Each structure stands twice: as structure tokens, then as C-alpha cells.
Amino acid sequence: MKIQFVQQHIVRGETRDKDVVYEKDQVVDFGNDRVDNSYARAYVDRGYADEINGAAERGRAKANAESARAAARLEARGKIAIPDDLSKVADGDLIKLGQSLSDDMVQSKDDALKAIETEKARRNPT
């Protein structure tokens, strides 16, 4: 079992030099030994540490990667020029512009105008 301490915890030994000090945020892997895991479980149950689950770590990493991709997409969208007068833009070009500014399906001029207005609002919140 792998745990991360949420506060400093000292396990007193026979003498001071035999004390074991677990620092806050220290990650300790107690392995698969049943006895060691019982100690790790006790630290978690008593609130000294949180269990680190491999699946949870992978989930956090995936969420962080997705957030980074979304932020990069928004940054790239912020660099796309939006003409001041959309009435002079051909419908096909307007749809392409809307598609480049939205994750939603943009298939018509109305969809494109909604996507463009949404992006304008994102860029200039009032």
C-alpha cells in the first residue's frame, strides 16, 4: 500500500536515534506485506495519511492533461482574428470561422454566428 502523509508523524523508537519521522507530504510505499499494510491502513484510518491509489493517480494525470489541452485550445482560439463586420463575410467562410472557434457542431450560418458571439463574450467578459 502506498500512502502520503498529510502531517508530520513520529514513531518513537527505544532511543531518539531510533525514532522514525514521516514528514508532511512524504510518500511511503509499504509494499504488499500484510503486516506493513496494516500499519499503512492504521495511518490512513487515524488521519495521518491518505492512501495513494495508482488508478487515482492515473486519473489525476489524465485530468491534468485534458485541462492542459483545453487551455491550449482556448489560447489558440484567442489568436484567431474575428472581423468587426461579419455581414461582409461569405457564408462558407463564416461557417469555417465558427467551426474554428467552437467545439460544438457548426453546420449553418446561425450556428457560426452563435459560436462567434460566444467566443467574443469569452474574450471580452463584461
Side-chain angles (χ1 to χ4, degrees):
M1 175 185 283
K2 196 173 189 181
I3 62 173
Q4 181 174 14
F5 283 84
V6 296
Q7 65 186 33
Q8 184 185 55
H9 182 69
I10 300 172
V11 179
R12 298 288 178 201
E14 293 175 14
T15 62
R16 278 264 195 222
D17 63 325
K18 293 185 180 181
D19 287 354
V20 177
V21 179
Y22 295 110
E23 297 295 336
K24 181 179 185 215
D25 297 327
Q26 181 179 352
V27 175
V28 179
D29 188 353
F30 283 87
N32 293 324
D33 182 67
R34 190 172 60 91
V35 173
D36 288 343
N37 277 337
S38 68
Y39 282 105
R41 174 62 46 210
Y43 292 137
V44 171
D45 292 345
R46 293 176 184 159
Y48 298 133
D50 290 329
E51 182 175 357
I52 296 178
N53 182 335
E57 283 184 43
R58 287 188 298 276
R60 278 191 295 276
K62 183 178 177 182
N64 289 341
E66 288 172 3
S67 294
R69 282 192 298 272
R73 254 191 333 270
L74 288 177
E75 183 179 345
R77 282 184 190 155
K79 296 177 182 177
I80 297 172
I82 299 174
D84 292 331
D85 188 4
L86 295 175
S87 64
K88 295 180 181 178
V89 179
D91 289 355
D93 292 336
L94 196 63
I95 291 171
K96 287 180 184 176
L97 178 61
Q99 289 171 339
S100 65
L101 295 173
S102 177
D103 289 332
D104 297 332
M105 184 69 87
V106 175
Q107 294 181 326
S108 68
K109 181 179 176 181
D110 289 336
D111 292 343
L113 290 172
K114 287 178 188 174
I116 292 167
E117 290 305 314
T118 300
E119 178 61 18
K120 283 183 177 179
R122 185 189 71 80
R123 291 181 186 184
N124 302 310
T126 51

